[in-house]
Amino acid sequence: MQPDNVQPATVPWNQDRQLEVLVFDLGGQSFALEAVLVREILDMMPETRVPGAPPLVGHVVNFRGRIIPLANLHLAFGMDLPTTTPDSRIVVIEIELNGEAMMVGLRTDKVHEVATFDAATSEGAPVVGLRWRRDYVRTLVRHGDDIVVLPDLDAIFQTIARRDLAAAAIN
């Protein structure tokens, strides 16, 4: 259940009201993240399961000698878990969580392109007809014949952090 008073995170449009993004697929839907967050795009690699970790970040990978969490956003958006294909990739991003810079790998079904979106082609997530939690969607953007979702990674990862804190308080 999501809150009724969902306030999507703002999109960091530049002074020209544009945003450079990396477009990728998850479960047959196009998603995009700010290109400035992306550190590298990797072929799939061996993963290590982390016992007791939330399923969304239930694995880690070795990225250039650093152990980083591997997030599966399919789970955040209630999608079926896909099988790995030759097009599957890990997009390594650097984001700030709880005031700390952190590297995270994102499992994707396919990476498409770097594109520039215009704010005039974006709209907020509708109140009805959306199959995902609205607080996980910052905006929807028309891109060619497609609708691209800009997810709110802060909201997604903060949900996990709150669950971890609540679990720690119980123990």
Side-chain angles (χ1 to χ4, degrees):
M1 191 86 171
Q2 64 183 334
D4 291 333
N5 60 347
V6 172
Q7 292 296 320
T10 58
V11 176
W13 305 107
N14 67 16
Q15 68 272 11
D16 297 324
R17 306 280 296 149
Q18 295 185 330
L19 181 67
E20 190 174 38
V21 297
L22 176 70
V23 181
F24 58 93
D25 280 354
L26 287 179
Q29 174 66 52
S30 295
F31 284 77
L33 295 171
E34 296 95 315
V36 298
L37 298 177
V38 178
R39 296 297 167 250
E40 196 159 340
I41 300 169
L42 307 170
D43 290 333
M44 296 306 291
M45 60 177 52
E47 306 169 13
T48 302
R49 186 175 170 283
V50 179
L56 180 70
V57 287
H59 294 84
V60 293
V61 294
N62 182 348
F63 173 66
R64 302 198 183 284
R66 292 179 63 182
I67 306 296
I68 64 169
L70 180 60
N72 194 333
L73 295 180
H74 294 88
L75 296 172
F77 288 96
M79 299 174 175
D80 292 333
L81 294 176
T83 57
T84 300
T85 70
D87 290 332
S88 299
R89 296 289 182 271
I90 296 172
V91 176
V92 178
I93 61 169
E94 186 171 347
I95 59 174
E96 187 172 307
L97 292 173
N98 297 327
E100 184 179 329
M102 177 174 195
M103 302 281 263
V104 177
L106 302 176
R107 177 188 292 273
T108 68
D109 298 339
K110 183 176 186 175
V111 172
H112 287 283
E113 64 181 323
V114 173
T116 302
F117 288 171
D118 192 293
T121 64
S122 73
E123 294 182 26
V127 175
V128 295
L130 191 67
R131 63 182 177 185
W132 312 301
R133 289 179 52 161
R134 285 183 59 225
D135 57 331
Y136 284 2
V137 177
R138 286 188 295 170
T139 194
L140 303 173
V141 179
R142 291 178 305 282
H143 180 63
D145 293 334
D146 202 4
I147 301 292
V148 181
V149 177
L150 268 72
D152 188 342
L153 294 179
D154 287 338
I156 292 167
F157 292 126
Q158 289 300 330
T159 299
I160 295 169
R162 282 192 296 275
R163 285 184 198 147
D164 287 349
L165 287 172
I170 292 169
N171 295 332

PDB file of all heavy atoms in Angstrom, residues 33-34 36-39 69 71 92-106 152-158:
ATOM      1  N   LEU A  33      17.800   6.626 -16.265  1.00  0.00           N
ATOM      2  CA  LEU A  33      18.464   7.258 -15.120  1.00  0.00           C
ATOM      3  C   LEU A  33      19.347   8.382 -15.635  1.00  0.00           C
ATOM      4  O   LEU A  33      19.854   8.313 -16.760  1.00  0.00           O
ATOM      5  CB  LEU A  33      19.359   6.256 -14.398  1.00  0.00           C
ATOM      6  CG  LEU A  33      18.686   5.079 -13.734  1.00  0.00           C
ATOM      7  CD1 LEU A  33      19.736   4.089 -13.254  1.00  0.00           C
ATOM      8  CD2 LEU A  33      17.850   5.559 -12.562  1.00  0.00           C
ATOM      9  N   GLU A  34      19.575   9.369 -14.793  1.00  0.00           N
ATOM     10  CA  GLU A  34      20.463  10.448 -15.175  1.00  0.00           C
ATOM     11  C   GLU A  34      21.827   9.889 -15.574  1.00  0.00           C
ATOM     12  O   GLU A  34      22.416   9.095 -14.837  1.00  0.00           O
ATOM     13  CB  GLU A  34      20.665  11.442 -14.035  1.00  0.00           C
ATOM     14  CG  GLU A  34      19.422  12.183 -13.622  1.00  0.00           C
ATOM     15  CD  GLU A  34      18.721  11.514 -12.451  1.00  0.00           C
ATOM     16  OE1 GLU A  34      18.561  10.265 -12.461  1.00  0.00           O
ATOM     17  OE2 GLU A  34      18.341  12.221 -11.524  1.00  0.00           O
ATOM     18  N   VAL A  36      24.646  11.233 -15.477  1.00  0.00           N
ATOM     19  CA  VAL A  36      25.716  11.603 -14.548  1.00  0.00           C
ATOM     20  C   VAL A  36      25.873  10.603 -13.405  1.00  0.00           C
ATOM     21  O   VAL A  36      26.917  10.562 -12.764  1.00  0.00           O
ATOM     22  CB  VAL A  36      25.544  13.029 -13.971  1.00  0.00           C
ATOM     23  CG1 VAL A  36      25.601  14.067 -15.079  1.00  0.00           C
ATOM     24  CG2 VAL A  36      24.277  13.160 -13.167  1.00  0.00           C
ATOM     25  N   LEU A  37      24.833   9.790 -13.142  1.00  0.00           N
ATOM     26  CA  LEU A  37      24.926   8.781 -12.089  1.00  0.00           C
ATOM     27  C   LEU A  37      25.711   7.549 -12.542  1.00  0.00           C
ATOM     28  O   LEU A  37      26.239   6.818 -11.713  1.00  0.00           O
ATOM     29  CB  LEU A  37      23.527   8.318 -11.654  1.00  0.00           C
ATOM     30  CG  LEU A  37      22.586   9.345 -11.058  1.00  0.00           C
ATOM     31  CD1 LEU A  37      21.242   8.700 -10.764  1.00  0.00           C
ATOM     32  CD2 LEU A  37      23.189   9.965  -9.810  1.00  0.00           C
ATOM     33  N   VAL A  38      25.737   7.300 -13.843  1.00  0.00           N
ATOM     34  CA  VAL A  38      26.299   6.064 -14.391  1.00  0.00           C
ATOM     35  C   VAL A  38      27.830   6.106 -14.372  1.00  0.00           C
ATOM     36  O   VAL A  38      28.448   7.032 -14.877  1.00  0.00           O
ATOM     37  CB  VAL A  38      25.785   5.820 -15.826  1.00  0.00           C
ATOM     38  CG1 VAL A  38      26.410   4.564 -16.419  1.00  0.00           C
ATOM     39  CG2 VAL A  38      24.261   5.708 -15.832  1.00  0.00           C
ATOM     40  N   ARG A  39      28.400   5.062 -13.765  1.00  0.00           N
ATOM     41  CA  ARG A  39      29.863   4.930 -13.724  1.00  0.00           C
ATOM     42  C   ARG A  39      30.379   3.948 -14.768  1.00  0.00           C
ATOM     43  O   ARG A  39      31.436   4.131 -15.329  1.00  0.00           O
ATOM     44  CB  ARG A  39      30.331   4.480 -12.335  1.00  0.00           C
ATOM     45  CG  ARG A  39      30.050   5.468 -11.244  1.00  0.00           C
ATOM     46  CD  ARG A  39      30.799   6.779 -11.487  1.00  0.00           C
ATOM     47  NE  ARG A  39      30.326   7.836 -10.638  1.00  0.00           N
ATOM     48  CZ  ARG A  39      29.631   8.884 -11.056  1.00  0.00           C
ATOM     49  NH1 ARG A  39      29.304   9.001 -12.324  1.00  0.00           N
ATOM     50  NH2 ARG A  39      29.255   9.823 -10.231  1.00  0.00           N
ATOM     51  N   PRO A  69      26.553  -3.692  -3.751  1.00  0.00           N
ATOM     52  CA  PRO A  69      25.252  -4.370  -3.822  1.00  0.00           C
ATOM     53  C   PRO A  69      24.733  -4.371  -5.256  1.00  0.00           C
ATOM     54  O   PRO A  69      24.976  -3.428  -6.021  1.00  0.00           O
ATOM     55  CB  PRO A  69      24.350  -3.526  -2.912  1.00  0.00           C
ATOM     56  CG  PRO A  69      25.027  -2.226  -2.760  1.00  0.00           C
ATOM     57  CD  PRO A  69      26.487  -2.436  -3.008  1.00  0.00           C
ATOM     58  N   ALA A  71      21.277  -4.430  -7.168  1.00  0.00           N
ATOM     59  CA  ALA A  71      19.846  -4.225  -6.984  1.00  0.00           C
ATOM     60  C   ALA A  71      19.079  -4.761  -8.184  1.00  0.00           C
ATOM     61  O   ALA A  71      19.494  -4.577  -9.328  1.00  0.00           O
ATOM     62  CB  ALA A  71      19.541  -2.742  -6.792  1.00  0.00           C
ATOM     63  N   VAL A  92      26.338   0.219 -13.292  1.00  0.00           N
ATOM     64  CA  VAL A  92      26.896   0.651 -12.008  1.00  0.00           C
ATOM     65  C   VAL A  92      26.676   2.153 -11.889  1.00  0.00           C
ATOM     66  O   VAL A  92      27.082   2.922 -12.762  1.00  0.00           O
ATOM     67  CB  VAL A  92      28.395   0.311 -11.894  1.00  0.00           C
ATOM     68  CG1 VAL A  92      28.958   0.818 -10.569  1.00  0.00           C
ATOM     69  CG2 VAL A  92      28.621  -1.188 -12.050  1.00  0.00           C
ATOM     70  N   ILE A  93      25.994   2.533 -10.802  1.00  0.00           N
ATOM     71  CA  ILE A  93      25.725   3.945 -10.558  1.00  0.00           C
ATOM     72  C   ILE A  93      26.328   4.358  -9.224  1.00  0.00           C
ATOM     73  O   ILE A  93      26.616   3.515  -8.377  1.00  0.00           O
ATOM     74  CB  ILE A  93      24.210   4.245 -10.566  1.00  0.00           C
ATOM     75  CG1 ILE A  93      23.501   3.456  -9.450  1.00  0.00           C
ATOM     76  CG2 ILE A  93      23.604   3.955 -11.931  1.00  0.00           C
ATOM     77  CD1 ILE A  93      22.061   3.878  -9.219  1.00  0.00           C
ATOM     78  N   GLU A  94      26.505   5.645  -9.067  1.00  0.00           N
ATOM     79  CA  GLU A  94      26.909   6.194  -7.771  1.00  0.00           C
ATOM     80  C   GLU A  94      25.817   7.149  -7.330  1.00  0.00           C
ATOM     81  O   GLU A  94      25.485   8.103  -8.040  1.00  0.00           O
ATOM     82  CB  GLU A  94      28.243   6.920  -7.860  1.00  0.00           C
ATOM     83  CG  GLU A  94      28.741   7.372  -6.503  1.00  0.00           C
ATOM     84  CD  GLU A  94      30.164   7.900  -6.523  1.00  0.00           C
ATOM     85  OE1 GLU A  94      30.867   7.710  -7.526  1.00  0.00           O
ATOM     86  OE2 GLU A  94      30.558   8.512  -5.513  1.00  0.00           O
ATOM     87  N   ILE A  95      25.227   6.841  -6.174  1.00  0.00           N
ATOM     88  CA  ILE A  95      24.166   7.671  -5.624  1.00  0.00           C
ATOM     89  C   ILE A  95      24.481   7.998  -4.177  1.00  0.00           C
ATOM     90  O   ILE A  95      25.332   7.363  -3.564  1.00  0.00           O
ATOM     91  CB  ILE A  95      22.786   6.991  -5.725  1.00  0.00           C
ATOM     92  CG1 ILE A  95      22.784   5.650  -4.984  1.00  0.00           C
ATOM     93  CG2 ILE A  95      22.372   6.813  -7.171  1.00  0.00           C
ATOM     94  CD1 ILE A  95      21.421   4.994  -4.926  1.00  0.00           C
ATOM     95  N   GLU A  96      23.773   8.976  -3.650  1.00  0.00           N
ATOM     96  CA  GLU A  96      23.936   9.331  -2.244  1.00  0.00           C
ATOM     97  C   GLU A  96      22.758   8.760  -1.472  1.00  0.00           C
ATOM     98  O   GLU A  96      21.599   9.008  -1.804  1.00  0.00           O
ATOM     99  CB  GLU A  96      23.989  10.845  -2.079  1.00  0.00           C
ATOM    100  CG  GLU A  96      24.335  11.258  -0.675  1.00  0.00           C
ATOM    101  CD  GLU A  96      24.568  12.753  -0.556  1.00  0.00           C
ATOM    102  OE1 GLU A  96      25.376  13.285  -1.315  1.00  0.00           O
ATOM    103  OE2 GLU A  96      23.911  13.352   0.319  1.00  0.00           O
ATOM    104  N   LEU A  97      23.069   7.954  -0.461  1.00  0.00           N
ATOM    105  CA  LEU A  97      22.046   7.387   0.417  1.00  0.00           C
ATOM    106  C   LEU A  97      22.413   7.718   1.853  1.00  0.00           C
ATOM    107  O   LEU A  97      23.524   7.451   2.288  1.00  0.00           O
ATOM    108  CB  LEU A  97      21.961   5.869   0.244  1.00  0.00           C
ATOM    109  CG  LEU A  97      21.438   5.375  -1.097  1.00  0.00           C
ATOM    110  CD1 LEU A  97      21.576   3.869  -1.195  1.00  0.00           C
ATOM    111  CD2 LEU A  97      20.004   5.796  -1.291  1.00  0.00           C
ATOM    112  N   ASN A  98      21.472   8.325   2.557  1.00  0.00           N
ATOM    113  CA  ASN A  98      21.697   8.736   3.947  1.00  0.00           C
ATOM    114  C   ASN A  98      22.964   9.565   4.089  1.00  0.00           C
ATOM    115  O   ASN A  98      23.736   9.385   5.022  1.00  0.00           O
ATOM    116  CB  ASN A  98      21.738   7.514   4.861  1.00  0.00           C
ATOM    117  CG  ASN A  98      20.434   6.772   4.884  1.00  0.00           C
ATOM    118  OD1 ASN A  98      19.371   7.383   4.761  1.00  0.00           O
ATOM    119  ND2 ASN A  98      20.501   5.464   5.032  1.00  0.00           N
ATOM    120  N   GLY A  99      23.195  10.457   3.129  1.00  0.00           N
ATOM    121  CA  GLY A  99      24.331  11.355   3.189  1.00  0.00           C
ATOM    122  C   GLY A  99      25.664  10.732   2.822  1.00  0.00           C
ATOM    123  O   GLY A  99      26.706  11.354   2.991  1.00  0.00           O
ATOM    124  N   GLU A 100      25.641   9.515   2.304  1.00  0.00           N
ATOM    125  CA  GLU A 100      26.881   8.811   1.979  1.00  0.00           C
ATOM    126  C   GLU A 100      26.865   8.379   0.509  1.00  0.00           C
ATOM    127  O   GLU A 100      25.903   7.786   0.039  1.00  0.00           O
ATOM    128  CB  GLU A 100      26.986   7.571   2.880  1.00  0.00           C
ATOM    129  CG  GLU A 100      28.256   6.806   2.729  1.00  0.00           C
ATOM    130  CD  GLU A 100      28.297   5.610   3.674  1.00  0.00           C
ATOM    131  OE1 GLU A 100      27.707   5.683   4.768  1.00  0.00           O
ATOM    132  OE2 GLU A 100      28.919   4.610   3.299  1.00  0.00           O
ATOM    133  N   ALA A 101      27.949   8.701  -0.223  1.00  0.00           N
ATOM    134  CA  ALA A 101      28.066   8.268  -1.615  1.00  0.00           C
ATOM    135  C   ALA A 101      28.236   6.753  -1.647  1.00  0.00           C
ATOM    136  O   ALA A 101      28.990   6.188  -0.850  1.00  0.00           O
ATOM    137  CB  ALA A 101      29.248   8.944  -2.288  1.00  0.00           C
ATOM    138  N   MET A 102      27.517   6.118  -2.553  1.00  0.00           N
ATOM    139  CA  MET A 102      27.515   4.661  -2.590  1.00  0.00           C
ATOM    140  C   MET A 102      27.429   4.177  -4.028  1.00  0.00           C
ATOM    141  O   MET A 102      26.674   4.714  -4.823  1.00  0.00           O
ATOM    142  CB  MET A 102      26.319   4.165  -1.792  1.00  0.00           C
ATOM    143  CG  MET A 102      26.125   2.717  -1.780  1.00  0.00           C
ATOM    144  SD  MET A 102      24.764   2.343  -0.652  1.00  0.00           S
ATOM    145  CE  MET A 102      25.048   0.622  -0.488  1.00  0.00           C
ATOM    146  N   MET A 103      28.200   3.142  -4.344  1.00  0.00           N
ATOM    147  CA  MET A 103      28.127   2.492  -5.648  1.00  0.00           C
ATOM    148  C   MET A 103      27.115   1.359  -5.547  1.00  0.00           C
ATOM    149  O   MET A 103      27.132   0.587  -4.586  1.00  0.00           O
ATOM    150  CB  MET A 103      29.478   1.932  -6.056  1.00  0.00           C
ATOM    151  CG  MET A 103      30.568   2.957  -6.127  1.00  0.00           C
ATOM    152  SD  MET A 103      30.488   3.905  -7.609  1.00  0.00           S
ATOM    153  CE  MET A 103      31.652   3.033  -8.586  1.00  0.00           C
ATOM    154  N   VAL A 104      26.247   1.236  -6.554  1.00  0.00           N
ATOM    155  CA  VAL A 104      25.239   0.185  -6.616  1.00  0.00           C
ATOM    156  C   VAL A 104      25.174  -0.303  -8.051  1.00  0.00           C
ATOM    157  O   VAL A 104      25.183   0.502  -8.986  1.00  0.00           O
ATOM    158  CB  VAL A 104      23.844   0.710  -6.198  1.00  0.00           C
ATOM    159  CG1 VAL A 104      22.788  -0.371  -6.339  1.00  0.00           C
ATOM    160  CG2 VAL A 104      23.858   1.261  -4.788  1.00  0.00           C
ATOM    161  N   GLY A 105      25.094  -1.616  -8.209  1.00  0.00           N
ATOM    162  CA  GLY A 105      24.860  -2.179  -9.531  1.00  0.00           C
ATOM    163  C   GLY A 105      23.368  -2.389  -9.719  1.00  0.00           C
ATOM    164  O   GLY A 105      22.681  -2.832  -8.799  1.00  0.00           O
ATOM    165  N   LEU A 106      22.861  -2.062 -10.894  1.00  0.00           N
ATOM    166  CA  LEU A 106      21.455  -2.270 -11.221  1.00  0.00           C
ATOM    167  C   LEU A 106      21.362  -3.307 -12.334  1.00  0.00           C
ATOM    168  O   LEU A 106      21.933  -3.120 -13.407  1.00  0.00           O
ATOM    169  CB  LEU A 106      20.794  -0.970 -11.690  1.00  0.00           C
ATOM    170  CG  LEU A 106      20.817   0.215 -10.738  1.00  0.00           C
ATOM    171  CD1 LEU A 106      20.209   1.434 -11.408  1.00  0.00           C
ATOM    172  CD2 LEU A 106      20.083  -0.120  -9.452  1.00  0.00           C
ATOM    173  N   ASP A 152      12.354   6.720  -8.963  1.00  0.00           N
ATOM    174  CA  ASP A 152      12.869   7.471  -7.816  1.00  0.00           C
ATOM    175  C   ASP A 152      13.708   6.511  -6.974  1.00  0.00           C
ATOM    176  O   ASP A 152      13.195   5.828  -6.080  1.00  0.00           O
ATOM    177  CB  ASP A 152      11.716   8.053  -7.002  1.00  0.00           C
ATOM    178  CG  ASP A 152      12.191   8.990  -5.911  1.00  0.00           C
ATOM    179  OD1 ASP A 152      13.390   8.940  -5.549  1.00  0.00           O
ATOM    180  OD2 ASP A 152      11.360   9.765  -5.408  1.00  0.00           O
ATOM    181  N   LEU A 153      14.998   6.422  -7.295  1.00  0.00           N
ATOM    182  CA  LEU A 153      15.882   5.486  -6.592  1.00  0.00           C
ATOM    183  C   LEU A 153      15.970   5.805  -5.111  1.00  0.00           C
ATOM    184  O   LEU A 153      16.070   4.889  -4.288  1.00  0.00           O
ATOM    185  CB  LEU A 153      17.267   5.485  -7.227  1.00  0.00           C
ATOM    186  CG  LEU A 153      17.339   4.950  -8.654  1.00  0.00           C
ATOM    187  CD1 LEU A 153      18.774   5.025  -9.167  1.00  0.00           C
ATOM    188  CD2 LEU A 153      16.810   3.536  -8.747  1.00  0.00           C
ATOM    189  N   ASP A 154      15.925   7.085  -4.757  1.00  0.00           N
ATOM    190  CA  ASP A 154      15.971   7.442  -3.330  1.00  0.00           C
ATOM    191  C   ASP A 154      14.805   6.806  -2.590  1.00  0.00           C
ATOM    192  O   ASP A 154      14.982   6.204  -1.533  1.00  0.00           O
ATOM    193  CB  ASP A 154      15.936   8.962  -3.134  1.00  0.00           C
ATOM    194  CG  ASP A 154      17.241   9.637  -3.506  1.00  0.00           C
ATOM    195  OD1 ASP A 154      18.295   8.958  -3.509  1.00  0.00           O
ATOM    196  OD2 ASP A 154      17.210  10.846  -3.806  1.00  0.00           O
ATOM    197  N   ALA A 155      13.596   6.919  -3.137  1.00  0.00           N
ATOM    198  CA  ALA A 155      12.418   6.335  -2.477  1.00  0.00           C
ATOM    199  C   ALA A 155      12.542   4.821  -2.389  1.00  0.00           C
ATOM    200  O   ALA A 155      12.222   4.222  -1.364  1.00  0.00           O
ATOM    201  CB  ALA A 155      11.147   6.722  -3.228  1.00  0.00           C
ATOM    202  N   ILE A 156      13.024   4.197  -3.462  1.00  0.00           N
ATOM    203  CA  ILE A 156      13.150   2.740  -3.475  1.00  0.00           C
ATOM    204  C   ILE A 156      14.151   2.283  -2.421  1.00  0.00           C
ATOM    205  O   ILE A 156      13.858   1.403  -1.612  1.00  0.00           O
ATOM    206  CB  ILE A 156      13.567   2.253  -4.880  1.00  0.00           C
ATOM    207  CG1 ILE A 156      12.426   2.500  -5.881  1.00  0.00           C
ATOM    208  CG2 ILE A 156      13.962   0.776  -4.850  1.00  0.00           C
ATOM    209  CD1 ILE A 156      12.827   2.344  -7.336  1.00  0.00           C
ATOM    210  N   PHE A 157      15.326   2.884  -2.408  1.00  0.00           N
ATOM    211  CA  PHE A 157      16.359   2.451  -1.466  1.00  0.00           C
ATOM    212  C   PHE A 157      16.068   2.894  -0.040  1.00  0.00           C
ATOM    213  O   PHE A 157      16.452   2.217   0.914  1.00  0.00           O
ATOM    214  CB  PHE A 157      17.749   2.897  -1.921  1.00  0.00           C
ATOM    215  CG  PHE A 157      18.211   2.188  -3.162  1.00  0.00           C
ATOM    216  CD1 PHE A 157      18.627   2.888  -4.273  1.00  0.00           C
ATOM    217  CD2 PHE A 157      18.223   0.802  -3.237  1.00  0.00           C
ATOM    218  CE1 PHE A 157      19.051   2.230  -5.421  1.00  0.00           C
ATOM    219  CE2 PHE A 157      18.644   0.128  -4.364  1.00  0.00           C
ATOM    220  CZ  PHE A 157      19.055   0.850  -5.470  1.00  0.00           C
ATOM    221  N   GLN A 158      15.370   4.012   0.155  1.00  0.00           N
ATOM    222  CA  GLN A 158      15.002   4.434   1.507  1.00  0.00           C
ATOM    223  C   GLN A 158      13.995   3.472   2.112  1.00  0.00           C
ATOM    224  O   GLN A 158      14.004   3.235   3.317  1.00  0.00           O
ATOM    225  CB  GLN A 158      14.441   5.858   1.505  1.00  0.00           C
ATOM    226  CG  GLN A 158      15.474   6.931   1.250  1.00  0.00           C
ATOM    227  CD  GLN A 158      16.586   6.944   2.276  1.00  0.00           C
ATOM    228  OE1 GLN A 158      16.411   6.589   3.429  1.00  0.00           O
ATOM    229  NE2 GLN A 158      17.770   7.359   1.840  1.00  0.00           N
TER     230      GLN A 158
END
